[in-house]
Amino acid sequence: MLQALDLSTAYVDFDNDCPLFHDLPQADLNRLAEMSRLRVLRAGQNICEQSSPSGRVFNIVSGSAVIERISSAGRRQILAFVFPGDFAGLSNSAYFEYGIRSLTDVSAYEFPRHKLVALSEQSAGLKDNIKNIRDLVLALTFDQVFLLGQKRAHERLCFFFLHMLERLPGARPESIKLPMSRQDIADYLGLTTETVSRSVAKLKRDGLIVSPTPQTISIRDMDSVRELADIS
Amino acid sequence: MLQALDLSTAYVDFDNDCPLFHDLPQADLNRLAEMSRLRVLRAGQNICEQSSPSGRVFNIVSGSAVIERISSAGRRQILAFVFPGDFAGLSNSAYFEYGIRSLTDVSAYEFPRHKLVALSEQSAGLKDNIKNIRDLVLALTFDQVFLLGQKRAHERLCFFFLHMLERLPGARPESIKLPMSRQDIADYLGLTTETVSRSVAKLKRDGLIVSPTPQTISIRDMDSVRELADIS
DNA sequence: CGATGCTTTGAATCTCGTCAAGATGTGTGG
DNA sequence: CCACACATCTTGACGAGATTCAAAGCATCG
């Protein structure tokens, strides 16, 4: 986890091919760098609190985090997992309608929202990038609505593995290293930890996956996993 | 339903306080009118097909419609209900990741997406309006994720009634006239028609609502309905 | 009026949640 | 290096809630 706290490598990310910085001219990158602040957090900390003023937005540099909503009754729903390169906090209401919380040690650039918006008015590239990010978020959220409304537990798991395969940096079909706990997966998929465990056990039993440790998933029968995930 | 097909009243809507046209100067309204085409559909028709090229966007003038996704396995999830003044089709991918289908007779303005985008580049007001619409859609979709992931059947219905109360034009706590079938409600809430029926029956039995006809809901105990809806 | 489609109700089944116990793994201090 | 405590994860038994299948009510419309 020391890597996550290494500031010298973090700055390199301004050149990376991440959605916010993609294809921007150096001038824009410089101005983004000027307005940004690098925040470093330990695992399990709030990056921003649900219902707090939504004046800041975040670009994850290293580590993993969740976007979560907790109701007055104490029920928790994870709206998304965010990984390096991902952008979070692009709410347009005055207050965050969700919280962002680190799963691992995390480093992230923090931008004042009004400054980022102001710069995006002058930079067509930046504005496009922000729009694309919003579009992706909406598309992913539609997928999740379908998942929660229509799929069974083991189907949700299959969808989840394929989703992680796409979004989690470094994930390969033979080796997906999950940075989140069973509770996090459960709160993302609208299940309980017990049901997640049982569904994983079932997928193992049926030979679709192998899981040497709880945090490691290896897909053995991709066709069957895809079919159960029912990607529309 | 003849009202829905009355073209003379439909045009008035360009002056209405609907999200897309809100606070626009007359010049912009005129250009919007020029590029638009009024479409009139009977109940149960596709306004646009899932997976078809997403070249058009729609502004509902009269009637009700659903935004739905149907998987390869034939399962259907309704992503949203849309009502007069609502805007639909703002997908940014090349193909619609959902279909739009009329519930009642519907009239709607159809805009070529590229023209609307081009005009929004010149009209700050229009651009803001579009952005606000997208923000609202995302916020509503987050609510639905929470609903589907965390709530029980009768809680989902309470949330649904309050949601309709806010969004359905003309709805009042004492009289919500639902334009959709039990099947549509079920596909929106991730339930079956039978469970919707039973949950409505339970809410009636418990004195929270009255329902003289299946399409008419009257909220009797707003506090309890709110509490069950668990608006976060 | 009968026919059709939508809604409701009933009974059996199944999936998932709950509660409880046991297994596994990790980190700490002896 | 081992032993113990604490977390997390897994498994089992049971029950609640939702689905499924079937049949019966209730409208609307020829």
Side-chain angles (χ1 to χ4, degrees):
Chain A
M1 285 305 161
L2 271 180
Q3 248 186 333
L5 304 173
D6 181 346
L7 306 191
S8 61
T9 62
Y11 271 103
V12 179
D13 257 299
F14 265 92
D15 300 306
N16 265 8
D17 190 41
C18 91
L20 184 63
F21 304 138
H22 180 254
D23 265 352
L24 291 188
Q26 191 60 45
D28 288 347
L29 292 174
N30 291 342
R31 295 182 65 181
L32 281 169
E34 279 165 29
M35 73 174 67
S36 75
R37 187 164 85 86
L38 185 67
R39 288 187 61 185
V40 177
L41 301 103
R42 295 262 158 227
Q45 284 186 292
N46 278 333
I47 299 172
C48 70
E49 309 246 358
Q50 183 173 336
S51 304
S52 69
S54 60
R56 304 152 294 145
V57 295
F58 307 91
N59 200 48
I60 307 295
V61 175
S62 66
S64 309
V66 295
I67 296 179
E68 65 185 6
R69 176 178 294 189
I70 298 174
S71 74
S72 50
R75 284 179 281 195
R76 174 177 183 250
Q77 175 67 43
I78 289 182
L79 300 170
F81 293 103
V82 289
F83 303 116
D86 287 346
F87 200 56
L90 257 183
S91 174
N92 248 53
S93 58
Y95 299 91
F96 286 115
E97 59 241 318
Y98 46 77
I100 308 179
R101 164 179 283 266
S102 57
L103 287 175
T104 64
D105 292 348
V106 160
S107 58
Y109 289 111
E110 177 182 307
F111 302 89
R113 190 159 66 90
H114 69 277
K115 283 194 189 175
L116 190 74
V117 169
L119 180 58
S120 75
E121 290 305 319
Q122 296 162 26
S123 162
L126 179 59
K127 195 168 58 175
D128 282 350
N129 287 353
I130 290 177
K131 193 151 96 63
N132 288 337
I133 289 167
R134 302 179 82 98
D135 286 340
L136 178 66
V137 169
L138 187 58
L140 293 175
T141 310
F142 280 162
D143 285 348
Q144 202 183 352
V145 166
F146 190 91
L147 171 103
L148 295 171
Q150 301 299 324
K151 292 199 221 289
R152 317 249 213 90
H154 64 285
E155 298 173 322
R156 297 184 194 195
L157 258 299
C158 286
F159 183 95
F160 173 72
F161 294 145
L162 294 181
H163 183 64
M164 286 300 112
L165 198 52
E166 271 194 11
R167 306 213 65 251
L168 187 61
R172 292 166 295 120
E174 323 86 68
S175 171
I176 306 173
K177 296 242 181 290
L178 302 173
M180 70 287 287
S181 70
R182 289 288 186 266
Q183 186 64 61
D184 294 323
I185 297 173
D187 288 346
Y188 180 66
L189 298 178
L191 303 169
T192 60
T193 57
E194 293 94 331
T195 300
V196 170
S197 263
R198 274 187 263 266
S199 297
V200 169
K202 173 180 166 55
L203 293 174
K204 284 164 74 171
R205 216 181 310 125
D206 295 350
L208 304 206
I209 64 171
V210 174
S211 177
T213 75
Q215 284 72 34
T216 312
I217 301 292
S218 167
I219 298 180
R220 278 300 162 84
D221 182 347
M222 182 59 91
D223 289 347
S224 299
V225 171
R226 290 199 111 85
E227 189 172 335
L228 283 175
D230 188 28
I231 308 288
S232 52
Chain B
M1 284 305 164
L2 272 179
Q3 248 187 336
L5 302 173
D6 181 347
L7 305 191
S8 62
T9 62
Y11 270 104
V12 179
D13 257 299
F14 265 91
D15 301 305
N16 265 8
D17 190 41
C18 91
L20 184 63
F21 303 139
H22 181 255
D23 265 351
L24 291 188
Q26 192 58 45
D28 287 348
L29 291 175
N30 291 342
R31 297 182 65 179
L32 281 169
E34 278 165 32
M35 72 173 70
S36 76
R37 188 165 85 85
L38 185 66
R39 287 188 62 185
V40 176
L41 301 105
R42 295 258 158 231
Q45 283 187 291
N46 277 333
I47 300 174
C48 70
E49 308 247 358
Q50 183 173 336
S51 304
S52 69
S54 60
R56 303 152 296 144
V57 296
F58 307 90
N59 199 47
I60 307 295
V61 175
S62 65
S64 308
V66 296
I67 297 179
E68 64 184 7
R69 176 178 292 189
I70 297 173
S71 75
S72 50
R75 283 177 284 193
R76 173 177 183 251
Q77 175 68 41
I78 290 183
L79 301 170
F81 294 102
V82 288
F83 304 115
D86 286 347
F87 200 56
L90 259 182
S91 174
N92 249 54
S93 58
Y95 300 92
F96 285 116
E97 62 241 317
Y98 45 76
I100 309 180
R101 164 179 280 266
S102 57
L103 287 176
T104 63
D105 291 350
V106 159
S107 59
Y109 289 111
E110 179 181 305
F111 302 89
R113 190 159 68 88
H114 68 278
K115 283 193 189 177
L116 190 74
V117 169
L119 180 57
S120 76
E121 290 304 320
Q122 295 161 27
S123 163
L126 179 59
K127 196 168 58 176
D128 282 350
N129 288 353
I130 291 177
K131 193 152 96 62
N132 287 337
I133 290 167
R134 302 180 81 99
D135 286 340
L136 178 65
V137 169
L138 186 59
L140 293 175
T141 309
F142 280 161
D143 285 348
Q144 203 183 352
V145 166
F146 190 92
L147 172 103
L148 294 171
Q150 301 299 322
K151 294 200 222 287
R152 315 253 205 90
H154 64 285
E155 298 172 322
R156 295 185 195 195
L157 272 165
C158 286
F159 183 94
F160 172 72
F161 293 145
L162 294 181
H163 182 65
M164 286 300 111
L165 198 51
E166 273 194 10
R167 305 215 64 250
L168 186 59
R172 292 167 295 121
E174 324 85 67
S175 169
I176 306 174
K177 296 242 180 290
L178 302 174
M180 68 288 286
S181 70
R182 289 288 186 268
Q183 186 64 61
D184 294 323
I185 298 173
D187 288 347
Y188 180 68
L189 297 179
L191 302 168
T192 60
T193 58
E194 294 94 329
T195 301
V196 170
S197 260
R198 275 187 260 267
S199 297
V200 169
K202 174 182 165 53
L203 294 174
K204 284 164 75 172
R205 215 182 313 123
D206 295 351
L208 304 207
I209 65 171
V210 173
S211 177
T213 76
Q215 283 72 36
T216 312
I217 300 293
S218 167
I219 299 180
R220 277 302 162 85
D221 183 347
M222 183 59 91
D223 289 348
S224 299
V225 170
R226 289 200 111 84
E227 188 172 336
L228 283 174
D230 191 26
I231 308 289
S232 51

